[in-house]
Amino acid sequence: MRTGFILPTFNEKNNAPALVHALLQSGVDPLDIYILDDASPDGTVKALRKKFGEHSNVHIIQRTPPHGYKVSIEEGISRALKDGADIVGWMDADFSHPPELLSRMVLELNEADVVVASRYIQGGRDLREEKLHVLLSRIICTFGTYWLNRKFLDWTSGYILAKRDVFTDLELRGSYGEFFPVMVNDILKKGWRVKEMPYINVSRRYGESKTASDIRGFFKHGPAYVYSMALAGLHR
C-alpha cells in the first residue's frame, strides 16, 4: 500500500533534510513525502531542494497564503489522496517524533484504520525538557480522555497514520493544532478502529517551538484546545 506522509515546515532548515532522509530509510515502501513549507525565511526550501530536488518521491511545496499548520495539513492530505495514497499521515518536522516508528505504524494498519503515536499508553513517555509543554499536553489530554472518550489517551499527539477512507467527509476544524483532538474525536465517533502505539516524545533537535515556548504561548494555544474539545464533547 502506498503511503503519503506530510511534513508541515516553518524554519526547519536544520531539521527537515535529516528527517526526510530518516523517513526514506524507514523501510516504508512505496513512500511519498510531502513537505508543505509556509515561506520559511531561514532557507528550509533551499536546503531541501539541494538534497532532494531530484528525488521523485519527495514533493517540496512552497505554500501561498493563507499560511498555518492546519491548512498545511489539509493541503498535504489533498495532494496525497490525489496522487493515489492508500495511507496518509503526518508528524512534526523537528525530530520530536521518532521517524523509525513509521514502519511499525504502517504494519498496525493491518488490524486498525487509524494509528496514533501515544505518550500515555504503556511504553510511551514524554521526556521533553520544556516542562511547560509537558504540562500543557498532560492537562489537555486528561481533559480529552475525561470529556470525549475514556478509551483514548493522547489527544495532542500530532503523529498519525490513517487509511484513505477515513478522510472521506472528514473536516479539520480549528486554526492551529487544536484541530487534531477534534479530528480524533470525529474519527472515534464514526466508528473507525483506532489504535494508540507508544512512543517517546523528546525535545526538538534544533530551533524554537511554535507552540508554548513560554507562558504567553501557553495561554495563547492552551485555551483554544480546551474550548474546541469542549464544544466537540457537547455534540456526543
Side-chain angles (χ1 to χ4, degrees):
M1 299 212 300
R2 192 171 201 91
T3 300
F5 202 70
I6 302 159
L7 295 176
T9 59
F10 182 74
N11 287 346
E12 298 292 357
K13 178 182 69 173
N14 295 319
N15 292 313
L19 180 57
V20 171
H21 178 76
L23 289 169
L24 291 172
Q25 298 299 313
S26 67
V28 176
D29 185 34
L31 173 66
D32 287 298
I33 300 174
Y34 298 85
I35 300 143
L36 285 297
D37 187 78
D38 268 353
S40 297
D42 74 336
T44 298
V45 167
K46 182 178 179 180
L48 287 163
R49 286 180 174 163
K50 181 177 180 180
K51 191 167 185 177
F52 301 105
E54 303 300 320
H55 200 298
S56 61
N57 294 90
V58 178
H59 311 274
I60 304 166
I61 301 144
Q62 279 189 296
R63 297 192 62 257
T64 57
H67 294 309
Y69 179 72
K70 193 262 294 189
V71 292
S72 293
I73 295 294
E74 286 179 319
E75 183 173 343
I77 292 171
S78 177
R79 287 176 180 264
L81 294 178
K82 185 177 179 180
D83 289 346
D86 303 294
I87 300 167
V88 178
W90 58 88
M91 64 171 6
D92 290 345
D94 58 8
F95 275 102
S96 60
H97 294 139
E100 63 273 14
L101 187 64
L102 184 62
S103 60
R104 290 172 51 205
M105 292 174 71
V106 171
L107 288 176
E108 289 297 331
L109 286 175
N110 290 323
E111 298 181 0
D113 301 306
V114 181
V115 178
V116 178
S118 175
R119 296 159 290 187
Y120 303 125
I121 63 171
Q122 186 175 1
R125 297 179 70 186
D126 192 340
L127 297 182
R128 290 175 293 173
E129 297 175 359
E130 301 83 4
K131 299 308 179 185
L132 191 59
H133 291 216
V134 176
L135 176 63
L136 177 60
S137 295
R138 176 62 75 175
I139 290 172
I140 293 170
C141 291
T142 299
F143 174 70
T145 300
Y146 172 81
W147 181 244
L148 296 176
N149 189 307
R150 301 202 177 192
K151 295 182 179 180
F152 191 84
L153 299 177
D154 199 336
W155 295 91
T156 63
S157 165
Y159 190 179
I160 185 172
L161 279 181
K163 295 176 179 176
R164 67 175 292 128
D165 289 347
V166 172
F167 296 98
T168 302
D169 298 324
L170 184 64
E171 179 185 1
L172 305 189
R173 290 173 284 157
S175 59
Y176 188 65
E178 73 272 11
F179 84 85
F180 188 86
V182 177
M183 178 195 72
V184 171
N185 183 59
D186 288 344
I187 288 170
L188 288 166
K189 288 198 298 184
K190 289 180 178 181
W192 295 107
R193 297 170 300 165
V194 179
K195 179 172 183 177
E196 290 185 86
M197 176 175 286
Y199 86 102
I200 297 176
N201 193 190
V202 297
S203 296
R204 62 166 33 247
R205 186 173 290 183
Y206 298 105
E208 296 182 358
S209 171
K210 281 78 172 176
T211 310
S213 57
D214 55 27
I215 196 67
R216 289 178 299 174
F218 183 95
F219 285 106
K220 178 181 179 181
H221 296 295
Y225 278 81
V226 174
Y227 178 72
S228 296
M229 294 164 73
L231 287 181
L234 292 176
H235 296 91
R236 286 177 289 186

